[in-house]
């Protein structure tokens, strides 16, 4: 975990348009893609699995990140305009509503008891008046 005052590059996004800011360290993401096509549903899958999606000659599993985090799903289908964060060394993509770009995050504080779960750290971000919750990618993948 980063020490207070240490900076890191992360992809900043919102799971729901008006929700909290989240981040994933850039080293975990191989690409950010628009989720433009139709996903194929997988029968009897957990509620956080949206389905399978063809991407650059491979089929990848699409995870509704909001649902995985325990947030209420805004729709039963993946809405237009969503983006896909393709996770390195996996065939998994996290569906999110708004990718805001790559930002330099400055550590504010530890996330305390959440650090062993899905939130790894809490950061401040230059030019933004809100905190950013950094997600623990290995913990998220262990749930998938």
């Amino acid at each position: 975990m980063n020490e207070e005052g240490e900076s890191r590059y992360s992809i900043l996004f919102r799971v729901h348009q008006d929700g909290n800011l989240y981040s994933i360290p850039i080293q975990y993401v191989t690409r950010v893609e628009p989720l433009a096509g139709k996903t194929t549903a997988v029968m009897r899958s957990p509620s956080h699995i949206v389905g399978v999606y063809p991407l650059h000659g491979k089929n990848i599993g699409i995870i509704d990140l909001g649902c995985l985090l325990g947030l209420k799903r805004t729709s039963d289908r993946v809405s237009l305009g969503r983006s896909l964060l393709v996770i390195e060394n996996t065939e998994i993509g996290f569906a999110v509503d708004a990718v805001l770009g790559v930002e330099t995050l400055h550590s504010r504080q530890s996330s305390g008891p959440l650090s062993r779960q899905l939130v790894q750290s809490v950061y401040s971000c230059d030019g933004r008046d809100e905190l950013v919750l950094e997600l623990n990618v290995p913990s998220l993948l262990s749930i998938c």
Side-chain angles (χ1 to χ4, degrees):
M1 184 175 345
N2 287 359
E3 298 297 322
E4 183 143 356
E6 187 176 339
S7 299
R8 77 182 314 156
Y9 293 106
S10 292
I11 295 179
L12 216 63
F13 58 91
R14 293 188 194 279
V15 174
H16 298 301
Q17 290 292 345
D18 298 327
N20 291 328
L21 278 176
Y22 292 94
S23 72
I24 292 178
I26 198 163
Q27 70 264 21
Y28 287 110
V29 180
T30 57
R31 63 175 14 121
V32 177
E33 296 273 341
L35 190 53
K38 183 178 178 177
T39 59
T40 302
V42 177
M43 300 300 289
R44 298 184 183 164
S45 60
S47 62
H48 62 270
I49 297 177
V50 175
V52 178
Y53 183 75
L55 184 67
H56 304 291
K58 287 185 174 181
N59 292 324
I60 63 170
I62 304 300
I63 305 298
D64 182 325
L65 191 54
C67 190
L68 189 64
L69 293 172
L71 303 172
K72 184 177 174 185
R73 189 182 285 193
T74 56
S75 171
D76 285 340
R77 62 180 182 81
V78 175
S79 63
L80 295 175
R82 293 190 90 189
S83 294
L84 191 60
L85 303 176
V86 181
I87 305 302
E88 185 170 85
N89 297 325
T90 69
E91 293 183 0
I92 292 176
F94 292 139
V96 300
D97 278 352
V99 174
L100 304 174
V102 176
E103 299 272 352
T104 303
L105 301 179
H106 307 285
S107 182
R108 271 285 196 211
Q109 62 190 38
S110 165
S111 59
L114 296 176
S115 62
R116 289 180 293 275
Q117 297 176 17
L118 301 180
V119 175
Q120 185 167 295
S121 290
V122 178
Y123 285 88
S124 64
C125 181
D126 292 340
R128 297 189 186 274
D129 194 24
E130 57 188 310
L131 294 175
V132 179
L133 303 173
E134 181 184 72
L135 297 176
N136 185 328
V137 175
S139 292
L140 289 171
L141 292 174
S142 72
I143 298 171
C144 296

